[in-house]
Amino acid sequence: MALLKKDRPLLVALSTAVLFSLVWGALAGPAAAEEKPVTITWWINPWRIAPPGFPEDKAPTAEDFPRWVSEEFMRLHPNVTVKYEVLTNQGFDQKVAAAILAGKPPDILRPISFKQEWVRQGLLEPIDEYLTAFDLQDFYDYALNVGKVGDHYYLFPWNNSNNGMGSSLLLNPRMFAERGVPLPPLPDRSWTMDEFMTAARRLSYDTNGDGTNDVYAIGMSARMDLMNNLAWFHIFGARYVDEGQRRFVLDSPAGVRALSWLVDAIYKERISPPGAEGMGIYDVINLFHQQRLAIGYGGPYEIGRIDRYLKEGRIKQKFPVHVAQFPHFPEIGPVAYHTSGGFVVFKQTDPYKRKMVMEFARFLTNQENMSLLRSLLYVTARKSVNENLYKGYEFEKEIDVYLRAISHGIPYFGSAEIDTTPADKHFIAMLEAAFSRTKTPQQALDEFVSQANRLVFRGR
């Protein structure tokens, strides 16, 4: 059929439309096809982070941040559904292990500790191609290296250090002032063991004349965070495992001196309350909040805990707190527990979903969202965020003391290549035996090391 002259504009228009459609299909078609609905799951333990706009007179719950950040990502990517789950700390590792065993781990996880065996088992995605040149410069090397196995990275860094357990102490300045005890001086609030013991003896006293102390300098606990108890051992020069990462060596002469000192703090020096064999970390924290201990454990995060407890009505009165370093022996130098955490991505089979899962992991750890850790008084894994995060803030000095403390950080548990958690319950049992004086420090340590080596290093 011959085309009429009058039909030519229509033909041109149709041709243009077809051509545009073809070109658009070539350019946009694949992208549009990619934007299929996907669902991302992620798990995190409780982090009470206040999202933007959260009321200042309320304490955030563990659900507020994961809910907000999931909704924000879904708003930016309407084809993506993000489902989060907050796992309790107790039983966290067991639930993750069960999910892996069942072949149903979440897409993204913030593990309590990075596990290299997951890489060796082929469970995790390498993230190298999703780290920009700026990321590689901006993240602290040690934070990136936590998740480095071989030549690849497997962890998006997020938090720098922990809540301060094992890294720093908290001082109640009112109690120090009442007993005429000077605080360790700024800028680093560093003190020697001799200076610490002089202060501790004056801070422990009997208030009613019955011959028993009612107020103490510091608490001990067999079931306290392992990092706090291991800090005392490292202060004396002891190490959990040897340099070759082949055996536990806590029964060294330095280890025996450390455990003897911990026992003496209760029974001889009476700077720590009795009953440490049955106490947990929250018993010690509560005694500090009740102002029956002048010195507590933790870092700036614990200052935030006091504020949260006040808002929740769990304590009646807010009290000032200062961060200080653990005491040290001059010949050994200061020590602190240093670690950092972040997010891992489990193996993905769908390329588009992998892309979006990585995008969400990057969203969680971008500068803006990482800065929300300020509501917990945490320091972050990005240098650029930390530079200005606490400038002019009321706790700026405390943050600075904390950063100085963790600059002395060492990995208390040895290399990340070894998993010492099977020995944890025996470490607690060792402390229970020593604190209850059913075993001498040497006997308790010998028994612990024997059991721990059998559980962790047998067959290596």
Side-chain angles (χ1 to χ4, degrees), residues 176 180-184 191 199 202:
F176 272 67
V181 179
L183 295 170
W191 44 356
R202 291 170 63 180

Side-chain angles (χ1 to χ4, degrees), residues 190-194 230-239 252-258 261 325-336 405 407-410 412:
S190 171
W191 44 356
T192 66
M193 274 297 284
D194 284 345
L230 276 176
W232 292 115
F233 282 92
H234 281 79
I235 285 167
F236 280 80
R239 293 294 179 267
S252 64
V256 175
R257 286 197 298 275
W261 179 85
Q325 296 190 21
F326 270 87
H328 67 273
F329 290 103
E331 63 273 26
I332 295 174
V335 296
S407 71
H408 303 292
I410 56 175
Y412 286 173

Side-chain angles (χ1 to χ4, degrees), residues 177-249:
E178 286 177 356
R179 300 293 292 174
V181 179
L183 295 170
L186 288 170
D188 53 13
R189 292 210 183 95
S190 171
W191 44 356
T192 66
M193 274 297 284
D194 284 345
E195 292 167 338
F196 173 83
M197 287 303 297
T198 299
R201 289 172 184 134
R202 291 170 63 180
L203 291 165
S204 306
Y205 59 99
D206 174 13
T207 61
N208 56 17
D210 65 357
T212 301
N213 284 349
D214 308 290
V215 178
Y216 296 89
I218 192 165
M220 304 298 172
S221 162
R223 296 179 177 274
M224 183 161 61
D225 296 54
L226 263 59
M227 293 81 78
N228 287 329
N229 282 324
L230 276 176
W232 292 115
F233 282 92
H234 281 79
I235 285 167
F236 280 80
R239 293 294 179 267
Y240 206 40
V241 296
D242 71 331
E243 288 188 8
Q245 313 297 303
R246 291 183 173 277
R247 63 193 178 94
F248 286 84
V249 291

Side-chain angles (χ1 to χ4, degrees), residues 170-179 203-205 207 213-219 273 282-296 306 309-310 314-322:
L170 300 175
L171 314 181
N172 183 324
R174 184 189 63 78
M175 296 177 72
F176 272 67
E178 286 177 356
R179 300 293 292 174
L203 291 165
S204 306
Y205 59 99
T207 61
N213 284 349
D214 308 290
V215 178
Y216 296 89
I218 192 165
Y282 287 104
D283 295 314
V284 177
I285 288 174
N286 289 338
L287 285 173
F288 181 64
H289 288 174
Q290 294 163 14
Q291 303 188 60
R292 292 182 57 201
L293 300 178
I295 303 171
I306 293 170
Y309 277 16
L310 184 70
R314 298 168 69 172
I315 58 175
K316 295 180 180 177
Q317 187 178 10
K318 191 173 181 177
F319 55 95
V321 172
H322 291 318

